Amino acid sequence: MKQDKGAKEETMSKDIETTEKKAIEKAEETTWAGQTYEPAVDIYESENALVLQADVPGVRKDDVEINLDQDVLTISGRVALDTYNGLRPVYSEFNVGNFFRRFSLGETIDQAAITADMDEGVLTVTLPKREQAQPRKITVA
Amino acid sequence: MSLLRFGTDPFDNILRLQRALTRSLEHPFFGLGTTPSGRGVYPALNIFEEEGGEAIVLKAEVPGMKRDSLEVEAVGNRLLVAGVREIPSPEGEFRYHRRERQAGEFRRVFRLPYEVDRDKASASYRDGILTVRLEKAEAAKPRQIQITG
C-alpha cells in the first residue's frame, strides 16, 4: 500500500507554470519594509499608445501608484493584508509582498492622457503617444 | 505558530505576514519538504488555519481570471483547483515589447491532511486571489474524550 505522506501532487497537466516571484534586491528602490516583488509585465505598442499590463494579485485599485517622470515610468502596488487577519500559516509555497517596477520609455508620452484600470489583480496602464510635430512646409517667398 | 493579528502600522504588518509565511515554508504540518520558491505546478498555494483549527483557508495568486473559468472542487481529502487563463490579443495593429505573463490551462489536485465537509466548502475570487475555505469533516475535528474508567 502506498504510504500517505500528507499533501502531495496527484495529477498534473498544465500549461501555466508557477515561476519564482522575482524579489527586488536593491532595498533603496522602495521605502517599504519587507520583501518587494517585480510583477510580470506585458507591454505592447499600437499606433497611438503604449499599453502596459502587470499581474499584481492582491492589490486593490486604490493601492496602486503610477508615476511618469521624464521618460521613467514607475508602477507600485501594495497588497491588501486584511484578508490574512486571524489566520495561522500552516503551509506555504510563496511569499506575499508589495509590487514595484520601473521602466524607461522610448516614446514620448502625453502625460495628461494616461489612463489606468485594475481588474482582478491585473493593472492596465494606457500611455497615449504624444502627437508628433507635424512637418511644416516652409515656402520661400 | 501564532495567529496573524494586524495592527495599524502597514510596515509592521507586511513584515509580520512575510515572516510567518517564511516560517511555514518548512512547517511539517503537511509533511512536505518543499522549496520556498513554489516553482512548478500552478497555482502555488498558501494554506492557513483558522482560529480554533476547525477550518483551513487556501489562497492562490491567480490574476486575470474570470470567475466562470475557475473550477474548485473539494471531495474527501482532495482539493482540485483548475482553470484557463486567457490573455486576449490587443485589437488592431500592435507589437509586443515585452511578454512575461503566462496564459494557458492549469489543473492541480492537492491532497489535504484530513477529510473536509464538502457542504461547507466555499470559495471566493477577488483582486486576483482565489480563497477557498474548507471545514474539517466531523470525523476529522478534534474532540475531547471523557475518561470514564
Side-chain angles (χ1 to χ4, degrees):
Chain A
M1 216 179 101
K2 219 166 81 176
Q3 198 74 23
D4 188 345
K5 287 180 186 150
K8 111 181 182 199
E9 297 317 315
E10 298 243 288
T11 61
M12 170 171 126
S13 68
K14 39 98 189 92
D15 285 336
I16 300 187
E17 275 195 4
T18 296
T19 49
E20 192 164 355
K21 285 172 81 171
K22 204 168 168 194
I24 292 176
E25 282 165 21
K26 284 182 281 181
E28 69 267 26
E29 293 279 312
T30 69
T31 53
W32 292 331
Q35 187 59 64
T36 300
Y37 295 94
E38 284 193 357
V41 164
D42 290 350
I43 299 177
Y44 63 87
E45 180 177 355
S46 66
E47 192 188 339
N48 305 315
L50 275 179
V51 179
L52 175 149
Q53 292 189 295
D55 284 349
V56 287
V59 177
R60 292 178 189 148
K61 195 175 70 173
D62 295 339
D63 300 322
V64 176
E65 262 183 52
I66 301 155
N67 182 45
L68 181 62
D69 184 9
Q70 308 289 358
D71 60 352
V72 177
L73 176 73
T74 306
I75 56 170
S76 56
R78 275 170 198 272
V79 288
L81 299 179
D82 54 347
T83 59
Y84 294 96
N85 224 343
L87 298 178
R88 173 189 294 116
V90 290
Y91 168 77
S92 55
E93 293 177 338
F94 64 94
N95 216 322
V96 173
N98 297 327
F99 292 99
F100 180 93
R101 199 141 172 201
R102 183 168 275 173
F103 299 94
S104 291
L105 304 179
E107 290 288 333
T108 313
I109 300 302
D110 182 356
Q111 284 249 18
I114 296 173
T115 56
D117 177 61
M118 275 289 280
D119 185 28
E120 298 300 6
V122 177
L123 169 69
T124 302
V125 186
T126 305
L127 305 133
K129 296 183 205 169
R130 195 184 290 163
E131 281 184 34
Q132 296 295 321
Q134 295 300 313
R136 200 153 57 103
K137 196 174 173 186
I138 300 165
T139 48
V140 180
Chain B
M1 209 170 296
S2 59
L3 291 181
L4 290 161
R5 292 278 184 226
F6 293 131
T8 49
D9 178 2
F11 276 31
D12 183 52
N13 290 346
I14 190 94
L15 284 175
R16 214 178 281 188
L17 175 63
Q18 290 184 344
R19 284 190 195 122
L21 287 172
T22 303
R23 278 197 300 268
S24 64
L25 287 169
E26 288 169 18
H27 195 268
F29 182 76
F30 282 75
L32 273 182
T34 49
T35 57
S37 65
R39 186 191 291 277
V41 67
Y42 186 91
L45 290 170
N46 280 344
I47 304 183
F48 303 84
E49 217 170 29
E50 276 185 7
E51 193 169 8
E54 296 206 346
I56 55 171
V57 176
L58 298 94
K59 286 177 180 284
E61 294 183 338
V62 282
M65 299 290 296
K66 298 205 165 53
R67 271 182 188 76
D68 57 12
S69 58
L70 264 172
E71 191 187 337
V72 180
E73 207 177 285
V75 182
N77 67 342
R78 276 154 215 234
L79 178 79
L80 164 79
V81 179
V84 182
R85 183 184 189 185
E86 289 172 357
I87 299 180
S89 286
E91 286 172 23
E93 285 203 12
F94 63 92
R95 66 188 170 93
Y96 274 102
H97 289 224
R98 199 180 278 272
R99 272 191 107 162
E100 299 169 354
R101 301 186 309 146
Q102 295 185 76
E105 285 182 43
F106 56 87
R107 181 183 178 83
R108 179 168 187 183
V109 179
F110 198 86
R111 196 188 295 175
L112 305 164
Y114 39 69
E115 298 262 316
V116 296
D117 186 339
R118 58 189 294 187
D119 295 329
K120 288 182 184 154
S122 62
S124 65
Y125 183 59
R126 199 184 155 199
D127 305 317
I129 306 273
L130 172 69
T131 303
V132 183
R133 184 181 180 276
L134 301 167
E135 284 191 26
K136 288 183 188 175
E138 277 307 318
K141 283 184 185 170
R143 73 189 65 219
Q144 198 156 12
I145 297 162
Q146 291 287 334
I147 299 170
T148 53

